[in-house]
Amino acid sequence: MIEIDGGVVNLSTKYLPEWQDCSSIARHDRCAEWCFDDERADLRVEDALAYFNDNFGSAAEVDAQEQFDVLIMDCLDPNDDHPFAKVLYTDDGYVTSLYDALTEMVFLSCKLVKPLKLIVQQTRMAALRIGLQ
């Protein structure tokens, strides 16, 4: 998981402990009490846009072992009143880095709140510009 704000992680750890109980999904002897203490979890407190551009962008050498089977984006809606929100869905370099970060077993999920048709069109146009179908 990549979260840009470490304070969010700290607050959720302190005030939302029920959200971190992984016993319902991770049933093994080494199951950690807190999900991110699980040896399989990789929590990064950094900018996800920069992470994907740096590690999977056009200038990066992609290591297949670092790729993901699943990406779930829970980020700003492109219609929110934030200058960079639209970039998360329409910037060719960033969209390319997301697809390059995925293995052959691809699943990309995005949180979309506002008019879905516009967002899908914008993201599809970015994907087509970089050669994806």
Side-chain angles (χ1 to χ4, degrees):
M1 180 178 110
I2 303 175
E3 170 57 52
I4 196 167
D5 186 349
V8 170
V9 176
N10 294 336
L11 284 172
S12 68
T13 302
K14 184 174 181 177
Y15 295 107
L16 301 169
E18 65 277 5
W19 288 16
Q20 278 121 87
D21 177 8
C22 293
S23 62
S24 64
I25 59 170
R27 295 181 180 97
H28 59 84
D29 294 338
R30 297 181 321 264
C31 182
E33 194 170 313
W34 187 57
C35 291
F36 293 114
D37 286 338
D38 190 296
E39 64 190 35
R40 299 166 298 168
D42 184 9
L43 172 62
R44 299 168 182 263
V45 178
E46 60 183 289
D47 181 348
L49 187 139
Y51 171 82
F52 283 100
N53 280 335
D54 292 348
N55 292 287
F56 301 100
S58 60
E61 286 189 34
V62 177
D63 180 354
Q65 298 227 348
E66 295 295 319
Q67 289 179 301
F68 301 91
D69 293 329
V70 176
L71 289 179
I72 300 172
M73 290 176 48
D74 182 22
C75 53
L76 296 169
D77 188 285
N79 295 315
D80 283 348
D81 191 23
H82 296 280
F84 60 89
K86 194 173 278 193
V87 170
L88 299 172
Y89 298 90
T90 62
D91 179 75
D92 292 354
Y94 180 61
V95 172
T96 300
S97 73
L98 291 176
Y99 282 98
D100 289 346
L102 290 164
T103 63
E104 296 291 323
M105 299 177 63
V106 167
F107 180 78
L108 174 62
S109 173
C110 303
K111 175 191 83 168
L112 304 172
V113 177
K114 300 224 177 152
L116 180 60
K117 186 175 181 181
L118 175 63
I119 297 166
V120 170
Q121 287 173 341
Q122 292 172 337
T123 305
R124 181 163 166 57
M125 288 172 50
L128 289 172
R129 280 195 303 271
I130 61 171
L132 299 171
Q133 295 298 320

